[in-house]
Amino acid sequence: MCGIVGAVAQRDIAEILVDGLHRLEYRGYDSAGIAVLNLDKQMQIVRRVGKVKALDEALDANPLLGGTGIAHTRWATHGEPSETNAHPHRSGNIAVVHNGIIENYEELRSELQARGYPFQSQTDTEVIAHLVEWELRSAKSLLEAVQKAVVQLRGAYGTVVMNQAEPEHLIVARSGSPLVIGLGMGENFLASDPLALLNVTRRFIYLEEGDVAEITRRSVDIFDRSGVKVVREIHEGNFEQDAADKGQYRHYMQKEIFEQPVAIRNTLEGRITNDKVVVDAIGANAAQILKDAQHIQIVACGTSYNAGMVARYWFESIAGVSCDVEIASEFRYRKFVTRPNSLLITLSQSGETADTLAALRLAKESGFMAAMTICNVASSSLVRESDFAFMTKAGVEIGVASTKAFTTQLTCLLLLNVAIGRLKGNLSEEQEKHIVQSLQRLPAQIESTLVFDKAIEKLSEDFADKHHTLFLGRGEFYPIAMESALKLKEISYIHAEAYAAGELKHGPLALIDSDMPVIVVAPENDLLEKVKSNIEEVRARGGQLYVFADHDAGFSDSEGFKTIVMPKVDEVTAPIFYTVPLQLLSYHIALIKGTDVDQPRNLAKAVTVE
Ligand code: HGA
C-alpha cells in the first residue's frame, strides 16, 4: 500500500526520495508527492496524480534542492485520488505524510475548523498536519508537539512530520503502520519499508508500536508510547538488492510464477533431512507447542486465507488436529470462544496485513496457547509479534497478485502438518517419508508444468470477450478454485467465482449457458467420479468446460469441453501443483484484456490499512 520515504542529509535528497518511492511502486498507489526544505528554509511541495513517473517529470522540469524531505505514494482511503488529496499535507510550517487511517478524523476536523484551520483536502491525514501545528504553538519542540498530537489520534498511522522552521529535523511516529529508520554516515533516512532505502543504507531500526522518534543528520532518539527514551536494536539488512529487476520477463507476476520451483526449493531447504521434517526449523521451542496443540485457528486475508483453507483439509487428514480458518477482518470483530490448547496461525506475505496483525494482537489477549506466523518478510510486525515464525522463502514478491507467496505458504503448511502429525503420533514413518519425498519432487514437477505455458496462452483467447467465469473443485481443490478465481478477478477484472463442485445444483447451475466458461480442477483422486458428475451437469446445460486434469482422470477434448492434461503428481502435493497452470491462465487472460498486470486497478500489495 502507500509508501513513505524521508531523509535528513547534507546533500540534495529529492532524487533519493523519489528512487525510494519507485522501489515501493509495486505496492500499488494512485498518487505521489514530495516536500523538500531548501537552504532558505522554504518548503517546496510537488504532488501528482498517477505514477511516480509524473513526479519525476515535474522534478526534472523544476528540481527541488535541499537536504531534508519527505515523500509519499498514496493509496486513497479517504477522498478520491487527486492532487489536493495527495500527501504531503501542509499546515503553516508543518508538512505531513501518513500511512493508515485516522478513525476519529471527523471529530478532530470539526474541532480544528472551530479553531480556524481551513481544510484543503478530503483526507483524514490533513487533521494530523493541523493538529501538530496547533500543538506546536504551546510546545517546546516539534517532538513534543507530535507526542501531544498522536495521543489524540485513534486508528492507525505511520506518519512523518517536517517543520519549515527546523531544517535537518524530522519526527516520525508509528502506531499500526510500519516505519523503519535507515542509518547513514552523517545522514539518516526513514521509510515504511526498508526496500525503499537499499540504495542508501543496509542498517535499520524498526520502530515499535507507539514509538515516536526524532531524526537529525547525526542522531536518532526514540521514545516509547509513555514518552520514555528507549534504545532499539540495529539490524544489518541482508536483502536481495534487485528483486526489482524483471530480467527476461515482461511482468513481475510472470517472473514470480516462473520462480516458483526455486522458491519452493528454498522453502524446503534446511527443513527436511533423511526423509523427515526438522521440527526445530519450524521455530525455537515449537515442538512442545505443536505436540500439545489440540486445535488450530488460522487467520488470514485474501490469497493467504485461501492457503489456510487448503491447509484445513491437511490439518484434519494429515496432522489429525481440528482446524478452523477465518478471514481476519471477521475474526477480529466478532466474539469468539477460544478452544483449549488452541494454536493461532496467521498467514501473510508481507507480515503487515493490518487486519491479520490486529487479529494476532487480539488473540494474544484471548487465551490462545501460542501464536505462530507463516510469513515472507522476516522483519515484519507479524514475525516480531508472534511466538514463533515459520518463514516462506519466496523472495521479494512484487506483483500485487500473489503467486509464489501462496505456493510457498502451502509448502510450509504441509511441512507443519507432517511435523504435528509425527509429534502427535498420527503419522507413520512411511507416511512422513511419502509426503517429504512428494515435496522434494514438487519443484521439478512444477518446472514441467511451466512448459504448458503456450497451450494455456492459446486457451486464454477464449476469454477475450468473457465477463464471468466459474471455477469448480472438490476437497483441497475447492480452495485452489477459490484462489484461481481470486487471481482471475484481480488481474483481468473478469468476475470470477469459485464453488465447491457439489454446490452447483444449490444455485450456481442457474448461471450456466453457452456464454459461461466453467474451469474445473479434476485430477484423478477419490473424488473424481463426483466431479465428473458435476461436469456432466454443466455440459448438459451447454456450459463451456475447461478441465485441468491428469492422464489418469481420462478426459479428452470433445463438444463443449477443452482439457489441459497435466503430468500425474502425488495427491498430497497436487493442490500446489495445479495452482501454477491456473495462475498462468489468469496471467494470459489479463494480457489479452490489456490490464496493468503487476499493479491492477484499485489494489495494493501489503494491505496495511483495514
Ligand atoms: N488515509 C490516508 C492514507 C491512506 C493510506 O495509508 N493508504 O495506504 C489517505 O486516504 O490519504
Side-chain angles (χ1 to χ4, degrees):
M1 284 207 135
C2 47
I4 290 179
V5 191
V8 192
Q10 218 169 16
R11 50 180 166 154
D12 292 324
I13 40 74
E15 210 174 301
I16 294 171
L17 298 183
V18 176
D19 173 69
L21 292 187
H22 276 300
R23 287 170 173 271
L24 299 181
E25 275 194 290
Y26 71 93
R27 288 164 170 261
Y29 64 98
D30 48 58
S31 48
I34 181 169
V36 174
L37 281 182
N38 69 14
L39 292 174
D40 303 325
K41 292 193 183 178
Q42 287 308 310
M43 177 116 60
Q44 317 147 82
I45 298 186
V46 179
R47 301 182 293 185
R48 289 292 180 270
V49 178
K51 301 287 180 193
V52 177
K53 199 162 168 282
L55 207 57
D56 275 332
E57 284 162 7
L59 298 186
D60 281 349
N62 282 308
L64 297 188
L65 303 179
T68 304
I70 52 182
H72 188 260
T73 42
R74 173 177 190 247
W75 185 84
T77 65
H78 291 61
E80 61 185 9
S82 67
E83 210 161 289
T84 334
N85 286 336
H87 304 202
H89 288 285
R90 187 159 184 190
S91 179
N93 281 344
I94 298 299
V96 165
V97 289
H98 161 233
N99 286 353
I101 290 175
I102 304 304
E103 288 172 358
N104 57 337
Y105 80 101
E106 280 176 326
E107 197 180 309
L108 289 170
R109 185 163 56 188
S110 306
E111 280 169 28
L112 289 158
Q113 277 169 334
R115 287 175 195 152
Y117 286 98
F119 275 73
Q120 312 292 336
S121 78
Q122 304 156 310
T123 65
D124 49 338
T125 301
E126 196 178 346
V127 298
I128 307 178
H130 295 310
L131 199 56
V132 172
E133 207 283 336
W134 170 258
E135 293 298 344
L136 192 57
R137 293 179 185 195
S138 57
K140 287 194 296 292
S141 63
L142 183 62
L143 172 69
E144 188 187 313
V146 173
Q147 282 171 322
K148 283 184 165 165
V150 293
V151 292
Q152 300 171 57
L153 304 176
R154 255 197 350 258
Y157 54 83
T159 190
V160 190
V161 182
M162 184 163 83
N163 180 4
Q164 181 167 259
E166 293 180 70
E168 302 201 344
H169 203 78
L170 292 174
I171 306 293
V172 299
R174 170 195 171 145
S175 181
S177 202
L179 277 178
V180 61
I181 297 171
L183 304 172
M185 306 279 277
E187 54 188 13
N188 287 313
F189 307 90
L190 62 97
S192 49
D193 183 324
L195 264 189
L197 301 177
L198 291 184
N199 256 352
V200 284
T201 184
R202 294 292 165 114
R203 298 175 70 229
F204 297 106
I205 297 175
Y206 295 91
L207 291 185
E208 294 190 7
E209 287 296 283
D211 282 354
V212 177
E214 176 165 40
I215 302 174
T216 69
R217 280 206 302 115
R218 303 209 174 273
S219 63
V220 172
D221 293 313
I222 305 174
F223 303 86
D224 69 11
R225 79 168 77 244
S226 45
V228 174
K229 193 164 172 181
V230 286
V231 176
R232 305 269 180 237
E233 207 183 324
I234 299 176
H235 298 259
E236 299 277 341
N238 177 21
F239 298 87
E240 292 160 71
Q241 166 75 319
D242 266 316
D245 181 5
K246 280 201 275 264
Q248 53 170 317
Y249 297 99
R250 185 164 159 202
H251 294 100
Y252 288 113
M253 182 184 179
Q254 184 192 25
K255 172 174 175 254
E256 288 158 5
I257 291 174
F258 279 79
E259 277 173 355
Q260 287 176 112
V262 175
I264 292 173
R265 270 190 202 105
N266 290 344
T267 301
L268 292 175
E269 202 182 297
R271 273 89 184 256
I272 286 175
T273 175
N274 299 328
D275 292 330
K276 280 192 169 345
V277 172
V278 182
V279 178
D280 283 351
I282 294 178
N285 309 324
Q288 198 58 46
I289 293 168
L290 300 181
K291 189 170 177 199
D292 293 345
Q294 286 169 5
H295 180 69
I296 306 283
Q297 173 68 61
I298 296 179
V299 177
C301 306
T303 287
S304 298
Y305 171 75
N306 293 336
M309 286 290 286
V310 176
R312 185 163 70 105
Y313 288 86
W314 290 336
F315 277 114
E316 308 222 353
S317 66
I318 299 173
V321 58
S322 61
C323 173
D324 287 321
V325 188
E326 191 158 347
I327 291 166
S329 56
E330 287 298 310
F331 180 81
R332 65 180 287 197
Y333 289 121
R334 78 176 175 88
K335 288 202 168 52
F336 54 83
V337 176
T338 309
R339 302 221 213 151
N341 282 352
S342 186
L343 170 66
L344 180 88
I345 303 181
T346 55
L347 301 175
S348 163
Q349 189 285 127
S350 66
E352 302 295 348
T353 314
D355 283 316
T356 310
L357 196 51
L360 165 68
R361 290 175 183 156
L362 175 69
K364 284 174 127 181
E365 298 157 9
S366 311
F368 280 86
M369 67 185 294
M372 78 173 279
T373 188
I374 294 180
C375 183
N376 199 37
V377 180
S379 55
S380 65
S381 304
L382 272 183
V383 170
R384 283 181 289 124
E385 295 184 30
S386 297
D387 296 307
F388 56 99
F390 193 24
M391 302 307 300
T392 49
K393 303 281 178 64
V396 177
E397 189 179 67
I398 291 189
V400 164
S402 181
T403 52
K404 60 180 181 169
F406 178 72
T407 46
T408 53
Q409 280 173 344
L410 290 179
T411 304
C412 282
L413 284 160
L414 198 46
L415 290 169
L416 179 66
N417 265 274
V418 173
I420 298 180
R422 173 178 3 122
L423 289 164
K424 287 184 169 296
N426 292 333
L427 203 67
S428 68
E429 223 169 272
E430 260 324 289
Q431 287 168 312
E432 172 160 11
K433 183 173 166 186
H434 169 73
I435 300 175
V436 165
Q437 292 185 347
S438 301
L439 274 168
Q440 285 171 319
R441 281 193 287 273
L442 183 62
Q445 288 167 336
I446 291 180
E447 261 150 26
S448 73
T449 317
L450 294 167
V451 304
F452 286 83
D453 192 39
K454 280 274 160 277
I456 293 170
E457 185 178 358
K458 182 95 196 74
L459 207 65
S460 67
E461 290 166 9
D462 287 11
F463 291 76
D465 57 356
K466 294 289 181 276
H467 299 290
H468 308 276
T469 300
L470 277 186
F471 286 81
L472 301 180
R474 276 182 184 255
E476 294 93 318
F477 295 98
Y478 164 45
I480 296 303
M482 289 163 63
E483 171 57 14
S484 306
L486 178 62
K487 226 43 28 183
L488 186 65
K489 69 186 110 173
E490 281 179 313
I491 61 168
S492 74
Y493 315 152
I494 290 178
H495 165 230
E497 281 194 82
Y499 276 94
E503 276 292 289
L504 254 192
K505 56 177 88 57
H506 299 285
L509 209 50
L511 298 170
I512 306 295
D513 62 17
S514 59
D515 208 28
M516 174 64 89
V518 181
I519 298 174
V520 192
V521 203
E524 206 275 319
N525 64 19
D526 288 351
L527 292 170
L528 179 64
E529 288 313 315
K530 302 286 172 203
V531 178
K532 281 188 169 171
S533 304
N534 304 129
I535 287 175
E536 285 312 319
E537 288 162 8
V538 173
R539 202 209 309 239
R541 284 151 186 92
Q544 279 186 307
L545 282 153
Y546 298 85
V547 181
F548 286 72
D550 51 26
H551 282 289
D552 295 357
F555 293 105
S556 57
D557 284 5
S558 61
E559 188 83 8
F561 210 101
K562 288 195 182 173
T563 53
I564 293 281
V565 179
M566 315 285 300
K568 178 83 185 156
V569 298
D570 294 306
E571 235 177 275
V572 68
T573 45
I576 312 179
F577 177 79
Y578 276 88
T579 303
V580 179
L582 288 158
Q583 292 168 342
L584 286 171
L585 182 65
S586 293
Y587 174 71
H588 286 297
I589 295 173
L591 289 188
I592 287 179
K593 293 274 186 187
T595 58
D596 187 347
V597 173
D598 285 328
Q599 289 173 34
R601 69 182 180 201
N602 306 338
L603 298 183
K605 192 87 183 155
V607 185
T608 50
V609 294
E610 70 166 291

